């Protein structure tokens, strides 16, 4: 903490970066920290290699985000990045590890020079709120809104098992600092584009299930037909996780002929981060992801088989 405080206090220029295909916690943590450092008088460049998804563009400072780490002399801070490759390609992120690595993934290999990792936090935004005072970071309504968005999205609206009383207390304090919970819900969590709904429809039309398992595969053809702009699943995974009886939900998104993004969600007691770790991915026990080498069809059958045998370990009926 002391080293982190000194690092930020002495820095003039700071580059803040988060992970590719950014979720709400990535964008919220990035914009909150960037704005707060600016309020503290620093020159700040926020970086997201995939840019800010449309539904998070209402956050203050979203327009300042650039797509690659610039040249120059600066302090590099990573937020919500579970590992270095998730910051982008070496060209986009530079090969230099971050000076400061702030994250809540249990699988984080501590790839920064200084690492502030708390895997009991529900979101990186929660950690940033707690660090604000000790790190000397100012708070205003813009910072508070971005942090609340990170917490609301990572807990899917305070629904995940890691939503502790502390998470709710932090959220309450963020509202006292001027964040508008209803707006954060409405714009950041409950709103989807028409194209995203069509993309969901294509995936849902081929929804499959087997005992405690549900899964759906989204192809590049689906993306094209729905005219969906992202490389992600438009959060379809969180809907599959709500299906009654689903102890594991999986969404597979074709990235190319040889690459497939896999997302896993599970009910407490079933640790899907183990499945993701086999592919060099990571995350949390109840929410994990990995970028897998292989085509959509063969990866789907492989991943489904593995999930079935993981469920078998718990019920004693699997193979
Ligand atoms: P997602 O399925 O992409 O929504 O991600 C679920 C969780 O797994 C999040 O906490 C992510 O940060 C993490 N995660 C997703 N993809 C990867 C990856 N390729 N490597 C490590 N962690 C990942
Ligand atoms: Mn994230
Ligand atoms: Mn997160």
């Amino acid at each position: 903490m002391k080293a982190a405080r000194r690092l930020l206090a002495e820095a003039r220029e700071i580059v803040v970066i988060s992970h590719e295909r950014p979720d709400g916690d990535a964008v919220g943590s990035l914009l909150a920290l960037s704005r707060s450092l600016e309020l503290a008088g620093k020159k700040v460049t926020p970086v997201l290699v995939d840019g800010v998804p449309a539904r998070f563009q209402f956050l203050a400072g979203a327009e300042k985000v650039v797509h690659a780490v610039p040249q120059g002399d600066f302090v590099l801070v990573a937020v919500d990045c579970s590992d270095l490759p998730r910051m982008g390609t070496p060209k986009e992120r530079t090969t230099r590890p971050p000076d400061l690595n702030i994250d809540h993934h249990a699988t984080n290999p501590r790839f920064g020079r200084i690492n502030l990792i708390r895997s009991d936090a529900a979101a990186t935004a929660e950690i940033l709120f707690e660090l604000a005072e000790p790190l000397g970071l100012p708070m205003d309504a813009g910072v508070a809104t971005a942090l609340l968005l990170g917490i609301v999205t990572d807990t899917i609206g305070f629904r995940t098992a890691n939503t502790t009383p502390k998470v709710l207390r932090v959220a309450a304090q963020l509202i006292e600092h001027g964040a508008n919970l209803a707006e954060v819900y409405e714009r950041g969590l409950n709103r989807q584009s028409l194209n995203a709904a069509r993309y969901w429809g294509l995936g849902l039309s081929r929804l499959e299930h087997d005992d405690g398992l549900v899964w759906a595969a989204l192809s590049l053809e689906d993306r094209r037909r729905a005219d969906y702009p992202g490389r992600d699943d438009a959060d379809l995974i969180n809907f599959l996780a709500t299906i009654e009886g689903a102890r594991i939900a999986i969404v597979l998104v074709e990235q190319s002929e040889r690459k497939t993004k896999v997302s896993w969600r599970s009910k407490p007691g079933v640790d899907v981060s183990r499945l993701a770790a086999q592919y060099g991915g990571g995350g949390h026990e109840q929410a994990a992801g990995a970028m897998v080498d292989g085509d959509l069809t063969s990866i789907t059958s492989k991943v489904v088989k593995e999930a079935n045998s993981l469920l078998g370990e718990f019920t004693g009926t699997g193979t």
Side-chain angles (χ1 to χ4, degrees):
M1 275 299 300
K2 246 194 189 152
R5 187 186 169 101
R6 190 167 347 108
L7 177 82
L8 296 180
E10 288 171 0
R12 272 186 354 106
E13 294 198 23
I14 300 173
V15 172
V16 187
I17 188 166
S18 191
H19 61 80
E20 55 186 357
R21 288 184 309 280
D23 51 30
D25 191 26
V27 178
S29 295
L30 176 100
L31 293 179
L33 180 59
S34 298
R35 183 177 173 89
S36 186
L37 288 166
E38 267 181 9
L39 293 172
K42 311 291 179 185
K43 180 174 182 295
V44 186
T45 308
V47 179
L48 288 172
V49 297
D50 291 316
V52 180
R55 70 179 192 279
F56 304 136
Q57 279 171 9
F58 75 100
L59 292 176
E63 71 289 350
K64 296 178 186 165
V65 171
V66 300
H67 288 252
V69 171
Q71 303 277 321
D73 187 21
F74 49 77
V75 163
L76 182 61
V77 184
V79 289
D80 199 46
C81 288
S82 52
D83 56 42
L84 194 61
R86 286 200 86 212
M87 284 165 45
T89 63
K91 203 168 148 239
E92 292 164 334
R93 66 171 143 89
T94 80
T95 47
R96 179 183 137 191
D99 300 291
L100 180 57
N101 172 19
I102 305 174
D103 186 33
H104 69 126
H105 294 92
T107 52
N108 191 301
R110 301 180 170 263
F111 58 89
R113 208 158 55 74
I114 304 169
N115 300 283
L116 296 174
I117 315 294
R118 266 196 33 213
S119 59
D120 60 325
T124 299
E126 179 192 342
I127 305 177
L128 285 173
F129 178 78
E130 296 206 291
L131 291 181
E133 223 179 86
L135 287 183
L137 295 169
M139 179 84 52
D140 71 353
V143 174
T145 301
L147 291 179
L148 188 61
L149 181 113
I151 292 173
V152 164
T153 52
D154 256 21
T155 61
I156 325 171
F158 306 111
R159 272 160 40 190
T160 54
N162 58 2
T163 305
T164 57
K166 192 161 113 220
V167 174
L168 296 171
R169 274 187 221 111
V170 168
Q173 289 175 76
L174 290 169
I175 295 168
E176 282 165 359
H177 276 101
N180 182 332
L181 180 62
E183 185 191 27
V184 163
Y185 250 100
E186 169 58 23
R187 304 189 71 156
L189 196 67
N190 277 349
R191 196 180 288 191
Q192 285 287 17
S193 68
L194 186 63
N195 292 353
R198 292 203 166 111
Y199 188 46
W200 274 39
L202 295 171
L204 287 175
S205 69
R206 296 185 309 269
L207 182 66
E208 303 209 56
H209 74 104
D210 180 9
D211 251 348
L213 186 63
V214 294
W215 71 95
L218 289 161
S219 66
L220 284 170
E221 171 65 13
D222 294 331
R223 230 179 93 181
R224 201 192 52 73
R225 277 180 60 198
D227 201 15
Y228 181 70
R231 291 189 290 150
D232 55 55
D233 69 337
D235 269 343
L236 176 62
I237 185 65
N238 291 331
F239 176 66
L240 294 203
T242 66
I243 293 172
E244 204 170 336
R247 297 172 64 215
I248 297 183
I250 306 173
V251 169
L252 303 102
V253 184
E254 183 177 31
Q255 305 288 308
S256 72
E257 269 174 33
R258 291 186 309 276
K259 275 221 177 310
T260 304
K261 168 70 201 297
V262 186
S263 291
W264 293 264
R265 297 293 183 272
S266 65
K267 292 285 179 274
V270 181
D271 178 4
V272 284
S273 71
R274 280 167 53 188
L275 299 177
Q278 293 179 40
Y279 296 103
H284 316 278
E285 288 191 13
Q286 263 70 73
M291 191 61 82
V292 181
D293 288 327
D295 67 274
L296 188 62
T297 312
S298 57
I299 296 305
T300 301
S301 61
K302 197 159 170 245
V303 159
V304 164
K305 214 177 271 166
E306 288 161 0
N308 260 326
S309 59
L310 180 67
L311 285 178
E313 275 179 39
F314 289 97
T315 59
T317 56
T319 47

